[in-house]
Amino acid sequence: MNKAITDGLVLMPPAFEAGLNVWSRQDGLPGSDTYASAANAAFVPADQDFGGCLELQKTDGVQRVRWMGVTPIIPGCYYRIVIRVKGIAGNLPRVRAAATPVRPNGSVAGGILTSGVETQLTQFGKVETITAIVGTGNRGGVDMDWNATIAHAHIGLDILGPNGGLLRIDDIDVEDVTSAYLRDLMDWVDVRDFGAKGDGTTDDTEAFLAADAAADGRSVLVSKGTYRLTDHVTFNAPVRFEGQITLPRDKRLSLVRNFDLNTYIDAFGDEQEAFKKAIQALFNFTDHETLDMQGRRIQLTEPLDVQAAVEDRTTYANQRSIKNGQIDVRPGAAFDTDIVTSNCDFDSDSPTILTGVANVSTIAVGSHVSASQGVGREVYVKSRSVANQTIELSQPLWGAPGRQRYTFSRFKYALDFSGFDNLQRFSLEDIEFLLADNASGILLPQNGLIFHVKDCFLTGPRDRGITSHADGCQGLLIDRCQFLSTEGAADVQDRHTIGFNVNKNDAKIRNNRGVRFLHFGVISGSGHIITGNHFFQGDTNSLGLRSAGLVIAMPQAKTVIVGNYIDNAYLEWTNEHDGAPDFNSEFSFGGLQIVGNIIFSSNVPRSFAPIHIKPYGRGHYINGLTITGNNFKTIKGQALDRVDFVDTTHADLDYGRYVDVNVHSNTFQAVSQQFQNPITVPVTENSAQTTWEADLSQYMPFRGETRVVQAVMPEGRIRNAGNGTVWTMPWGAAGVGGDSQSVRLNWSEPARGKVFITARCDAPT
C-alpha cells in the first residue's frame, strides 16, 4: 500500500471558514444537527495562533464535533488526524481526536474504538496538538484499528470534562501516513533481493537459502520468474510463490510453515510434479506428518510411483498420511495393463515358487497371476530373481501341474506403493480416487504394518480397488470407504473387478460400501474383523447368477463377519491358498463366526445359497463355525431351498467329522429348509412301533450327518399297543439313513405318541 492509492481522494475536512453547516454536533451522519445555527459556536476569522478557527463553548457531557463529509477507509491505508486546540476561558476540558465509523449500508459500527488518547488542557492560551491514527490493522501506534467492514468515517474530535469552558479549534488536518507502516504491511523479503535471477538457467539455490535466513519472522516472496534450484531447499519462514521453481528429482523442497499441496502447486506450476515433491517432503519431514491436499483435484497422466517420488527411502515406519483431495486419473497408454505369458515349472513341495521362467525380467513385481489349473484367486508376483529365473508368489498354488503356461497381468494403479520394501503406519484419508475405468486404485507396499485407508472413494477401478501383492497388508485397516464399480450394468458372470484383497493377518474391514464388483473382497490370512459393511452385487437378470461378495480363502479363518449387509452376494469359504489342499492332520475349516448380518437376495433362483464352503482338497470338515443372529431373506425371485451349500467342484467334505458347529437364532424369510444346530424337532408316531425315525436333512448345516442325539422329551403320555403307559425311555441312534442325516429312537416295546428330539451334527470336543 502506498500514497498513490489515496491520491485523488478527499481526506481533509474543509476549513471552518467554509461554513459551519458541514460540522455536526452529533455523529456526522446526514441529517444530524450542525453548528451553523448553534448558540455555543462561532467562526473566529483572525486568531493570533490559528488564523481562522472555530470558537466553541462546551455545553454537553461529551461535546462532539464531526465533519459530515466522508473520509474513505481503504484496507491497508492509515490516516493521522491532527487537531490544534487551546482553552481561552472557563473550565479547562479534556480533548481527544475522534471519528464515527460507518458501514457500507450507512449504519454506524459499534463495538470498536472511535477515539484516540485524551489530552487535558492545563492552561489558558496554550496550544495543544492532539493526534490519533485510524486504519484497518492492529499495528503499533494505531489508535483506532478497524476492519475492512468499515466503508468510511466522519472525522472530528470529542471534548470531555466539566461544561462551561471556551475553546478555540484550528482547522483539522487528515494526512495519509501509510508509508510509515509500509514495512509492516509488506512484511516479506524477495528472493531477488538476495541475488536470485529467475531466468531458468542461473542456479538460485543460495539466494533462496539467504532469503529464508534473512526473513527473521517475515515471509519470503518468490516473485515472478523461473528459478532453477540444484540442491535441497528448506523454508523455515512462510513462503509465497508468484514464480515457479525447477528441482532435480532427488532434491527436496521443504516448506515448514506452509506445508500444503496448494503451495507446492504454486511452486512447481505442474500439479502432478507438485504432488510428487510434496510426498517427497512428507517422508523426509520431522515437522509435519500429514500432507493436506486442501480439497485439490490432482490429474494423473501416469501411475504415481510413491517410492520413486520419495527416491531416497525404501523403508519407513513413522506415521504419515495424505488427506483431503481428489486424484483424477486421465486416460492414456501409461495405464494400460502389461501382460506377459510364460511357461513355468512348479513343484508342490515349494508351492509359492515358479521356476524356469525364461522371460522373468519382463514380468513385473505386483503382477496378477492366472493359469488354467491350480491358481487361486488374487495370487500375485511377490518377488522375482532374474539370475535364477524364479518367481515368488504371494500365495501358494493349490494344485498346479508340473509345467503350464501362466499369464502375468501388471495392473496400473493411481498410487503405487510397491517400491517400498517396508512401509508402516501410513494412511490415506478423505481422498476420492476418480479412476473412471482408466486405472486401479492403490497397490500396497511389499511389507508393512497398519496401512490405513479411511473415508475414501474408489470410484470406477479398472481392475482392482486396493491390492496387496505381498505382505504389506498385515494389520490393514479399511474404514468407511466407498468402492464403486463401473460394472453395474454388466451381468454378474461378466464382471472382473475386485474391491480389495488381503494376504496376511489381522485386517479390519469396517463400515464400507461396495457396489457391483465380481467380489467385494478376497481375504487370506486370519484374525480378521469384518463389520458394518454393505456390499451388493446383483444385476437385472431374472433369476440371475450371483457371485461371492467375500471370499475367505484360508480354512482356519479366525475371523468374525458381524453386522454386515450382504446384498445379492454370498460368503464363500475355501482353502484355495493351501499348497497341500488335501486334509493332512492340520486344522480344517474352522474359526469363522458369521453373526448378526442382514443377508438378502432378490430375483434369484431357488438354488441360490448365501453361504458356501468350497474345499479344494479331500478329507476336510468343519472344525469350529458359528452362524447366529442373522436375517436371511429373499424377495421377487423363488424361495430358496437352503441358505447353506457345499461346493464339491474340487472335493467334498467329510460330513461325519464336524466339530463345534453352532447355528441358531437366525431368522428366515422365503427359505424352505432352515438349518440349525443343535435342532429340536417333534416326532409323532400314531401306531405303536419299536423304532421311530426322524429325517433331519433339512436342518443339518452343510449336509452334516447327525452325530449325537442329545435329548428326548415326551409330550404327554407314551402308550403301548394295549394303550398302557410306556414308562421306559428309548435310546437314540444318530447317523441313520442313506445320507446319515436321520435319527432313530429304539423303544423297549412298541410305542406311540409324541416326543421332542434334540440332535446335533457335531460331536462333543
Side-chain angles (χ1 to χ4, degrees):
M1 193 66 61
N2 55 44
K3 181 70 176 176
I5 292 179
T6 56
D7 285 345
L9 296 179
V10 178
L11 302 177
M12 192 81 70
F16 289 117
E17 66 179 353
L20 301 183
N21 60 329
V22 296
W23 290 96
S24 170
R25 290 186 286 173
Q26 295 155 350
D27 51 20
L29 295 179
S32 59
D33 296 333
T34 73
Y35 283 102
S37 57
N40 65 332
F43 174 70
V44 176
D47 180 90
Q48 62 181 358
D49 296 310
F50 303 147
C53 64
L54 171 65
E55 186 175 282
L56 181 65
Q57 185 175 25
K58 184 178 184 303
T59 57
D60 295 329
V62 178
Q63 190 82 42
R64 291 182 175 85
V65 179
R66 297 288 190 276
W67 177 42
M68 298 175 69
V70 299
T71 299
I73 302 300
I74 301 171
C77 287
Y78 293 81
Y79 311 134
R80 179 188 285 123
I81 304 169
V82 181
I83 303 169
R84 298 172 70 220
V85 61
K86 63 182 179 181
I88 58 174
N91 296 319
L92 291 171
R94 305 188 307 277
V95 181
R96 66 190 181 194
T100 303
V102 182
R103 302 189 188 279
N105 63 4
S107 64
V108 175
I112 58 177
L113 292 173
T114 59
S115 61
V117 177
E118 298 176 3
T119 298
Q120 174 69 56
L121 302 186
T122 58
Q123 61 185 74
F124 298 116
K126 180 181 178 182
V127 176
E128 297 284 358
T129 299
I130 297 154
T131 65
I133 294 177
V134 60
T136 57
N138 183 14
R139 301 186 181 278
V142 177
D143 301 281
M144 292 172 268
D145 53 298
W146 298 343
N147 57 40
T149 64
I150 307 302
H152 62 267
H154 297 291
I155 299 297
L157 70 152
D158 293 335
I159 305 171
L160 303 92
N163 291 340
L166 190 65
L167 296 84
R168 287 186 177 177
I169 305 166
D170 196 11
D171 297 329
I172 297 175
D173 291 332
V174 178
E175 58 181 327
D176 184 350
V177 293
T178 302
S179 59
Y181 292 90
L182 188 61
R183 188 62 175 169
D184 288 334
L185 289 172
M186 296 184 177
D187 192 14
W188 43 257
V189 296
D190 192 328
V191 294
R192 289 184 178 271
D193 294 332
F194 296 87
K197 300 297 183 184
D199 55 12
T201 58
T202 303
D203 185 356
D204 291 325
T205 305
E206 292 302 322
F208 272 55
L209 296 174
D212 180 67
D216 192 25
R218 294 169 289 172
S219 63
V220 176
L221 172 66
V222 179
S223 50
K224 291 181 179 180
T226 300
Y227 299 85
R228 175 174 166 261
L229 306 180
T230 60
D231 203 353
H232 304 304
V233 171
T234 296
F235 280 106
N236 292 294
V239 59
R240 177 166 57 91
F241 290 90
E242 292 179 351
Q244 280 80 52
I245 66 172
T246 63
L247 196 62
R249 172 182 160 182
D250 63 339
K251 303 304 179 184
R252 298 186 302 274
L253 174 68
S254 300
L255 307 177
V256 175
R257 296 290 298 278
N258 45 341
F259 181 65
D260 57 73
L261 186 57
N262 283 339
T263 303
Y264 276 87
I265 292 173
D266 291 342
F268 289 93
D270 178 86
E271 290 183 349
Q272 195 163 233
E273 178 67 12
F275 194 28
K276 292 178 182 179
K277 286 298 185 182
I279 291 172
Q280 181 186 42
L282 176 67
F283 279 86
N284 285 275
F285 250 135
T286 57
D287 300 88
H288 296 274
E289 56 85 30
T290 298
L291 172 59
D292 191 347
M293 296 178 68
Q294 296 185 306
R296 288 291 294 257
R297 174 185 292 192
I298 299 298
Q299 292 189 339
L300 294 182
T301 59
E302 61 184 10
L304 200 161
D305 185 333
V306 179
Q307 190 282 322
V310 175
E311 199 277 329
D312 64 335
R313 297 174 184 267
T314 60
T315 64
Y316 202 81
N318 293 326
Q319 180 180 337
R320 289 293 182 268
S321 65
I322 302 173
K323 71 175 186 179
N324 188 25
Q326 288 183 330
I327 295 176
D328 182 10
V329 174
R330 310 311 300 161
F335 291 105
D336 290 347
T337 300
D338 295 330
I339 300 176
V340 178
T341 61
S342 180
N343 290 315
C344 305
D345 296 321
F346 174 73
D347 184 346
S348 60
D349 289 337
S350 301
T352 61
I353 303 297
L354 296 178
T355 61
V357 188
N359 56 344
V360 65
S361 63
T362 65
I363 299 171
V365 171
S367 295
H368 179 263
V369 183
S370 60
S372 59
Q373 297 182 59
V375 183
R377 284 165 285 196
E378 295 303 271
V379 176
Y380 291 87
V381 175
K382 182 177 181 179
S383 64
R384 66 182 184 181
S385 171
V386 175
N388 297 322
Q389 294 188 328
T390 60
I391 283 176
E392 182 185 9
L393 304 174
S394 61
Q395 293 293 342
L397 304 187
W398 64 269
R403 187 171 179 81
Q404 70 173 333
R405 193 162 190 82
Y406 293 85
T407 299
F408 303 92
S409 302
R410 183 51 159 86
F411 308 138
K412 303 299 177 61
Y413 296 81
L415 294 184
D416 187 336
F417 292 86
S418 64
F420 284 100
D421 295 332
N422 192 297
L423 178 61
Q424 301 184 25
R425 301 168 61 198
F426 190 86
S427 65
L428 298 169
E429 179 179 357
D430 284 311
I431 298 175
E432 182 174 17
F433 291 82
L434 302 173
L435 303 169
D437 205 27
N438 295 317
S440 295
I442 303 163
L443 182 59
L444 299 181
Q446 184 82 5
N447 293 283
L449 183 67
I450 315 298
F451 195 105
H452 197 176
V453 184
K454 56 184 174 180
D455 299 310
C456 291
F457 280 74
L458 290 111
T459 305
R462 184 171 178 173
D463 296 288
R464 301 293 186 267
I466 301 172
T467 294
S468 175
H469 74 290
D471 301 337
C473 55
Q474 179 76 36
L476 175 68
L477 307 176
I478 305 177
D479 289 308
R480 300 183 303 275
C481 291
Q482 299 277 344
F483 293 79
L484 307 175
S485 170
T486 59
E487 298 185 297
D491 293 341
V492 168
Q493 61 269 26
D494 295 330
R495 297 173 187 164
H496 71 280
T497 56
I498 295 176
F500 68 94
N501 79 290
V502 177
N503 292 319
K504 300 298 287 183
N505 301 332
D506 306 332
K508 311 296 184 294
I509 313 299
R510 300 172 294 204
N511 303 317
N512 304 285
R513 182 172 178 267
V515 181
R516 294 192 171 182
F517 288 83
L518 175 64
H519 307 303
F520 175 53
V522 177
I523 301 175
S524 198
S526 65
H528 306 305
I529 297 174
I530 303 166
T531 180
N533 304 284
H534 182 191
F535 45 94
F536 48 99
Q537 295 170 198
D539 58 25
T540 58
N541 284 339
S542 177
L543 305 182
L545 297 175
R546 297 294 181 260
S547 62
L550 287 176
V551 178
I552 307 301
M554 287 290 284
Q556 202 30 236
K558 198 177 69 177
T559 290
V560 296
I561 301 173
V562 58
N564 300 278
Y565 189 166
I566 302 166
D567 187 342
N568 276 286
Y570 56 87
L571 301 175
E572 185 174 19
W573 191 11
T574 82
N575 65 327
E576 63 195 84
H577 291 163
D578 187 347
D582 290 343
F583 178 73
N584 187 23
S585 300
E586 77 270 31
F587 287 119
S588 195
F589 282 87
L592 181 62
Q593 299 181 52
I594 303 172
V595 179
N597 301 281
I598 298 170
I599 304 178
F600 172 80
S601 59
S602 62
N603 200 19
V604 296
R606 63 174 53 89
S607 59
F608 173 73
I611 304 176
H612 291 203
I613 297 179
K614 185 177 183 178
Y616 278 68
R618 297 183 300 272
H620 284 281
Y621 59 96
I622 299 176
N623 185 23
L625 171 63
T626 298
I627 303 175
T628 62
N630 301 285
N631 181 3
F632 296 95
K633 182 176 183 179
T634 188
I635 62 171
K636 294 185 180 179
Q638 301 172 341
L640 304 183
D641 289 337
R642 302 183 64 89
V643 300
D644 56 322
F645 176 69
V646 179
D647 187 333
T648 60
T649 300
H650 303 293
D652 211 339
L653 291 175
D654 185 343
Y655 303 113
R657 292 192 64 182
Y658 287 8
V659 176
D660 195 18
V661 178
N662 302 285
V663 179
H664 60 83
S665 305
N666 300 290
T667 60
F668 303 86
Q669 287 85 40
V671 178
S672 300
Q673 300 181 25
Q674 302 173 6
F675 69 166
Q676 187 171 320
N677 190 67
I679 180 65
T680 300
V681 296
V683 178
T684 302
E685 184 61 58
N686 294 318
S687 61
Q689 304 289 333
T690 56
T691 59
W692 298 8
E693 288 192 10
D695 181 1
L696 304 183
S697 59
Q698 66 174 312
Y699 305 109
M700 293 295 99
F702 301 99
R703 296 167 57 179
E705 299 177 3
T706 56
R707 299 187 63 193
V708 177
V709 177
Q710 279 190 313
V712 178
M713 176 58 67
E715 183 180 81
R717 191 156 60 101
I718 304 299
R719 303 169 186 269
N720 58 23
N723 206 33
T725 301
V726 177
W727 297 102
T728 58
M729 289 294 292
W731 60 273
V736 174
D739 56 7
S740 300
Q741 292 184 306
S742 297
V743 296
R744 180 180 296 146
L745 297 183
N746 297 277
W747 297 89
S748 61
E749 61 179 304
R752 61 185 175 89
K754 181 179 181 181
V755 299
F756 285 90
I757 299 175
T758 300
R760 298 187 68 99
C761 70
D762 54 346
T765 56

